Amino acid sequence: MLKVDRLGKKYGGRWIFRELSFELGVGDRLVILGRNGAGKSTLLRTIAGLTSRTEGTVMLPEGDSRCTLGLCALEQSVYGQLTVAEHLQLTADLRGCPARIDELLEKVNLDYARSRPASQLSTGMKARMKMAMAIQANPAALLLDEPGAGLDEEGRMLIDQITAEQATRGCLIVATNDPLERRLANLELQLV
Amino acid sequence: MNSSWFREIRAVFMKEWQSEMRSQSGLITGLLFSVVTVYTISFAMLNTKIKGTEVAGLLWVALLFSSASSLPRIFLAEEEQGTAELLRLVARPHSVFWGKALFNSLQCVVTGILLSVLYLGFSGKVVTVPWLFAVCLVAGCLSLAGAVTLCGAIASQAINRAVLSAAIAVPLLLPLVSLGVSGMRVSLNDGLMSDGVGAAIGLVGYACATMATGPYIFAAVWKS
Amino acid sequence: MGVATAWSFLVPPAKGFQKPEMARIFLWHFPCPMLAVFLLMFGAWSSLRVFQRVTVKPSFSVSPETDHAMKSLWDLRAIAAMELGYLFCLLTMATGILFSEAEWGAWWSWDPRQTSFLIVLLIYAAYFALRFAYTDSGKKAAFSGAYSLATILPTLFLVFVFPRLPQIKNMSLHPSNSIVGGLIKGEYGQCVCLILALVAILTVYLFKLRVRAGLLEIRQENNDGQFEHLGNGSAPTGVVRPVSLP
């Protein structure tokens, strides 16, 4: 489903990571652990195609990557002037998939803030909105970067629920600093 | 164009429209720039009888600097706010370029009309060939918008992006200004009609070439 | 090259010029814009080849090592062509300004050809400004390459169309039929052909030298990375294993 072969990324003459290989199938949930600056986020971004790779290959799930790949990252920015519902409509229009606004907002428990501009959302609310956008097209591969950051207890339970659902339709990669988030995975990759 | 492309381009266009209408920063700055430019030119030319060529030249200089300074914002803001990544993840490059170029075209045409009305009003010049004036203005604005949108995208990830986008756009747009002045001066009763028509055809060709090649060049750098 | 230079000073002064002895500058002025335009177009074409690897084969199955090496090579060719092209642009302007003073009595006379070539010079100055504004080599190649592609049409318009526009042509003092009209003949014709051929050969040599120097730089950088990787293992890596919860 998702295959990474001898992947390497070099930036400014320094290797961020090198010789990384793994293959994930349906139901596989991989957690990437490592110290700060180990390259966890860069690895996720490289897999998603947002950063160019220096060597190696990445085979993404079959189909249009706009729909087969979902990414939710802590540092991902959103449009301050657009409301929560408008964000979901925008990403659905661009991906060419159904918007499912009501269903997604109910799932991430953000229905009450659907008409609120993103600039007026808290960090946790933004994280929920980004999660809703990431799972909108039911992606075959879901990439989560620090998914628990900024979330309350209820939000963490939501992450558990979403990752469990993802395991039934595809694979999941979680990059985190938090050892507790190993609970989300059945495989781990320690960047050393 | 099938419905999928239409939906994507409309989504990008509407996003720009909604963001602009709610923040209104670009709109107000653009309007203020137009009024101040026209007033400054008119003030500098106080009590001077100027010919059609000079009117057209000054109008195009105002249009050039107004668009080169304001239109690249559309990409620079995406990079500065970090929202470009969201678009890279969910959008196809051609729809991003088309949506943004259309929004910039609209903005440029509105600015062009406003500048023309104000400037012609201040200078007291009469347009003798209105259709030629309109063709030169609209085709010129479309070319400006296409080229400046592309330059904005090209400079968007650079260190000194705000200055650089205008610096790389202006030399590219100088041939366009030359054509624009050649056409518009004829519409202001200065020069031969055949020269004006030739320049208008050149402007339309420039607009078509910019809008046709822009998305392909943009697609090549979008995920870099 | 020395013989050609000496010959260019020994050809008899051309008749019909304000300062016939200064007409010899034409022998050096003529090859410059030809080579400049050719090199700038070659630079744009090389940039297109950089993109062909990226856009024609976006599939992740393309070997990135080959892709990366090819992109680097074409980017080096593009920058080598652009640098030499820009040098010839500057030489065109310098020799043109000298001749302008000798023939028309002013260093700068707003002649349409002089003016349009100055804009070409500005366009390529913007290319280098853009290149310097990016630090990452991949971005440097991609963004400056995109700009060089975007400049093709304006450059062709400025060099070939603008000076020949009916309303512009009559304003120009610059001759436009020196070659086609057969105005260069005899010893002048032979000398100009020799200089053009020699300068072209020298350009090819300099171009190859620049590309080779660039390749050596890349190889050096790659070796540094290799040493870093092998030396202290600072490039993070890892293997996937099942999660073992405490």
Side-chain angles (χ1 to χ4, degrees), chain C residues 159-228:
Chain C
V159 175
F160 297 108
V161 183
F162 179 74
R164 290 177 177 81
L165 288 175
Q167 65 269 37
I168 301 292
K169 202 175 171 182
N170 301 331
M171 292 159 56
S172 182
L173 297 166
H174 193 289
S176 56
N177 58 347
S178 322
I179 313 293
V180 184
L183 296 181
I184 304 166
K185 46 195 169 191
E187 204 174 340
Y188 261 83
Q190 292 159 7
C191 190
V192 89
C193 287
L194 178 70
I195 290 175
L196 177 63
L198 287 173
V199 173
I201 292 167
L202 182 67
T203 306
V204 172
Y205 174 73
L206 289 173
F207 174 83
K208 285 189 163 183
L209 207 63
R210 173 69 181 87
V211 173
R212 203 177 301 165
L215 284 173
L216 280 173
E217 258 176 53
I218 292 175
R219 201 168 299 161
Q220 182 68 42
E221 197 180 298
N222 284 345
N223 284 346
D224 289 350
Q226 203 73 30
F227 290 142
E228 181 195 315

Side-chain angles (χ1 to χ4, degrees), chain A residues 10-11 13-20 22 30 38 49 53 55-58 182 185-192, chain C residues 59-62 64-65 68 135-136 221-222 225-226 228-229 234-246:
Chain A
K10 193 178 178 185
Y11 189 78
R14 191 177 74 86
W15 286 98
I16 309 295
F17 50 81
R18 207 170 186 192
E19 299 283 331
L20 283 173
F22 56 83
L30 173 72
R53 66 214 186 284
E55 61 178 27
T57 52
V58 177
R182 291 169 82 207
N186 58 357
L187 296 166
E188 72 174 20
L189 169 69
Q190 184 90 36
L191 283 180
V192 286
Chain C
S59 154
F60 271 37
S61 61
V62 174
E65 288 87 348
H68 193 69
T135 45
D136 181 76
E221 197 180 298
N222 284 345
Q226 203 73 30
E228 181 195 315
H229 180 56
S234 63
T237 187
V239 286
V240 172
R241 57 172 182 264
V243 169
S244 53
L245 292 169

Side-chain angles (χ1 to χ4, degrees), chain A residues 56-121:
Chain A
T57 52
V58 177
M59 301 276 281
L60 292 176
E62 287 282 311
D64 188 342
S65 68
R66 291 176 298 156
C67 295
T68 57
L69 193 75
L71 172 71
C72 176
L74 181 64
E75 76 269 28
Q76 201 174 39
S77 297
V78 290
Y79 297 99
Q81 269 87 32
L82 299 190
T83 65
V84 174
E86 282 166 352
H87 270 95
L88 288 170
Q89 189 61 55
L90 172 71
T91 48
D93 285 342
L94 292 173
R95 282 177 168 135
C97 68
R100 303 193 295 135
I101 297 174
D102 295 334
E103 180 193 335
L104 287 167
L105 290 182
E106 200 177 318
K107 177 173 264 181
V108 298
N109 199 13
L110 206 58
D111 204 24
Y112 63 97
R114 62 185 298 141
S115 304
R116 209 181 285 181
S119 57
Q120 293 174 18
L121 300 179

Side-chain angles (χ1 to χ4, degrees), chain A residues 45 48-50 66 71 76-79 81-83 86-87 89-97 133, chain B residues 4 7-8 10-12 15 18-19 22-23 78 81-92 95 223:
Chain A
R45 289 165 50 78
L50 292 173
R66 291 176 298 156
L71 172 71
Q76 201 174 39
S77 297
V78 290
Y79 297 99
Q81 269 87 32
L82 299 190
T83 65
E86 282 166 352
H87 270 95
Q89 189 61 55
L90 172 71
T91 48
D93 285 342
L94 292 173
R95 282 177 168 135
C97 68
M133 290 194 288
Chain B
S4 160
R7 186 183 173 196
E8 291 171 39
R10 193 193 57 186
V12 176
K15 173 190 81 66
Q18 284 164 340
S19 299
R22 285 170 197 171
S23 71
E78 295 271 8
Q81 291 162 11
T83 47
E85 289 225 325
L86 179 64
L87 279 187
R88 283 194 186 97
L89 207 61
V90 298
R92 287 189 280 189
S95 24
K223 286 212 170 179

Side-chain angles (χ1 to χ4, degrees), chain B residues 9 22 32 51-52 85 98 115 121 125 152 172 181 188 223:
Chain B
I9 293 168
R22 285 170 197 171
L32 190 67
K51 289 196 290 186
E85 289 225 325
W98 274 107
L115 272 173
K125 247 336 194 193
L172 272 190
V181 174
L188 296 166
K223 286 212 170 179

